[in-house]
Amino acid sequence: MSRLRGPTGRAVTVGEWLARWLQAHPGAASTVAGYAGHIRLYLEPQLGQLLLGELSVTQVQEMFTAIAYEHEKAGRPIRAATLNRVRATLRSALNAAVREGLIDTNPAALAVLPAAPRPRAVVWTAARVEHWARTGERPAVAVWTAEQTAAFLHAIRGHRLYAAYHLIALRGLRRGEAAGLRWFDVDLDEGTAVISGQLQRRNGRLVACPPKTAHSARVIALDHTTVAALRAHRDRQRNEAALYGARYRDSGYVFTNLNGNPVDPGRLTHVFQQMLTEHALPPVRLHDLRHGAATLALAAGVELKVVQDMLGHSSIVLTADTYTSVLPQVAQTAAEKTAAHVLQAGWRLPGTTRHRRPSRRKRRTAASPAGRRAAA
């Protein structure tokens, strides 16, 4: 295998390739920022000086061992999930090198790491709320019940960004998608919104980016309450523009600051956390409103495929694995349906839809005086 060489004929290092790959990456700003962090903190210090064409599985494996050891030594054990994300970044960069014919195989794909279990969302049941209030202990990922979601929306109904949180809580938008929504993406008469991009903060400024994945570009239906919230928001925004005067900037975004500039996704999170404190609601992250929208839709009987499309997931397996075990009533309904199906099947003749008849002996017993007395 010939080594990749740069313009000067010098063999290119892993660090130089990672820099090239990152600069040309077409992903969303938040995704690229995550890759950049992995490269800066882990990949460049550990592998940066090695030659790309000579990188081996052993060297990649030794890198992860060294990272884990250094964190342990510093008293900050690194999570398996973090190591797996770092490997995903390296694997993606080396896959690009394979596609360009620069290396034959991807060493990162063969490295072995501990499995990183995905955190499962749990519901803020009454017992869990009581435990949190008493001890301060809270789940890593939690969602509100329908009643808690309704209480939150009712409590903030007068806030100028109410429609943003309504949209996230009921239709499952990511915060960057809500911040990046423009008025020409929204058809209030037809009750639809096109999710065609997102806003992310990158290098200190807001940047309009493509959706997180190809499947994230989607059309979502807007229920009548969301349409009403957006109509009221549009009226409020027009009034704010008139009051602000000539310096108001009509940016075209649905959710803006008072001067018309698009709202920062980080501000949506900051305001949301302030609201939770003000109204003493069980703590969730803003992104958990998206989780909640999915689980509440499933609880309402919406088909899994429809929920997948609403969220913009690439795979129905991801949707099912993430959400179908969250709400107790979903599992309860499934359990009752299963039991009813089994019990009903017990009275059917095999291979038919006809029900079994009680045996003659049972009929005679029921018809006898003793049987009638027992029945009475």
Side-chain angles (χ1 to χ4, degrees):
M1 176 69 194
S2 61
R3 297 173 186 170
L4 171 64
R5 297 187 178 276
T8 64
R10 179 177 56 83
V12 172
T13 65
V14 173
E16 290 168 333
W17 171 251
L18 290 173
R20 289 188 195 178
W21 170 77
L22 188 65
Q23 186 175 19
H25 199 284
S30 58
T31 302
V32 174
Y35 291 156
H38 293 160
I39 292 171
R40 183 182 71 258
L41 295 174
Y42 304 111
L43 301 178
E44 175 62 36
Q46 297 285 343
L47 303 177
Q49 299 306 310
L50 300 177
L51 296 177
L52 177 63
E54 296 180 353
L55 185 64
S56 67
V57 177
T58 300
Q59 289 169 325
V60 173
Q61 197 76 57
E62 288 174 346
M63 174 192 70
F64 288 115
T65 302
I67 292 172
Y69 173 76
E70 290 172 1
H71 275 259
E72 195 74 36
K73 186 178 178 181
R76 297 179 290 103
I78 192 167
R79 295 185 305 158
T82 302
L83 291 176
N84 276 274
R85 284 195 291 268
V86 173
R87 181 178 62 171
T89 298
L90 180 61
R91 186 172 60 228
S92 182
L94 296 182
N95 277 340
V98 171
R99 286 194 298 271
E100 293 193 17
L102 305 175
I103 53 177
D104 291 325
T105 59
N106 186 336
L110 301 175
V112 178
L113 291 177
R118 293 177 57 196
R120 290 278 187 172
V122 299
V123 180
W124 276 113
T125 59
R128 192 166 276 120
V129 171
E130 187 276 331
H131 180 77
W132 161 68
R134 182 166 42 85
T135 67
E137 183 181 345
R138 56 173 290 186
V141 181
V143 296
W144 286 330
T145 62
E147 293 76 14
Q148 290 162 344
T149 303
F152 166 71
L153 294 176
H154 180 75
I156 69 162
R157 64 191 183 281
H159 196 279
R160 63 179 301 273
L161 291 175
Y162 166 82
Y165 300 109
H166 184 112
L167 192 61
I168 294 170
L170 268 66
R171 306 310 301 151
L173 270 66
R174 299 176 178 90
R175 68 173 193 172
E177 293 171 346
L181 192 64
R182 294 162 296 180
W183 280 116
F184 63 72
D185 293 321
V186 180
D187 189 333
L188 296 179
D189 294 328
E190 293 296 325
T192 60
V194 179
I195 309 303
S196 59
Q198 59 176 332
L199 279 182
Q200 297 288 345
R201 180 159 290 280
R202 190 173 186 183
N203 297 326
R205 62 189 186 91
L206 283 181
V207 179
C209 306
K212 183 177 181 180
T213 67
H215 289 86
S216 297
R218 61 201 188 278
V219 179
I220 61 170
L222 304 177
D223 64 280
H224 73 279
T225 69
T226 304
V227 168
L230 287 169
R231 288 191 192 279
H233 175 77
R234 186 174 58 184
D235 292 341
R236 179 198 290 265
Q237 191 179 65
R238 287 171 176 169
N239 291 334
E240 289 177 348
L243 291 171
Y244 204 87
R247 292 182 297 118
Y248 184 85
R249 180 195 169 213
D250 186 2
S251 63
Y253 284 89
V254 175
F255 303 113
T256 61
N257 300 320
L258 290 172
N259 65 357
N261 287 329
V263 69
D264 192 312
R267 175 163 174 74
L268 288 177
T269 296
H270 179 69
V271 170
F272 178 70
Q273 293 302 326
Q274 287 181 324
M275 290 172 171
L276 295 190
T277 302
E278 181 181 349
H279 298 291
L281 290 162
V284 297
R285 304 168 304 166
L286 179 57
H287 192 70
D288 292 335
L289 288 190
R290 171 174 162 85
H291 293 322
T295 55
L296 293 174
L298 291 169
V302 178
E303 293 183 4
L304 191 61
K305 175 62 178 173
V306 176
V307 176
Q308 176 200 352
D309 293 340
M310 178 183 81
L311 298 175
H313 280 170
S314 59
S315 166
I316 199 168
V317 175
L318 172 62
T319 312
D321 184 55
T322 305
Y323 299 113
T324 53
S325 64
V326 176
L327 287 181
Q329 56 263 49
V330 175
Q332 185 67 38
T333 301
E336 294 292 350
K337 286 182 178 179
T338 302
H341 175 72
V342 172
L343 292 174
Q344 194 175 32
W347 290 100
R348 292 196 192 112
L349 291 172
T352 74
T353 58
R354 290 182 295 144
H355 289 160
R356 298 178 189 272
R357 291 183 178 181
S359 67
R360 287 185 177 182
R361 182 178 178 182
K362 288 182 178 179
R363 289 202 301 272
R364 283 199 304 269
T365 301
S368 67
R372 287 194 295 270
R373 284 196 299 272

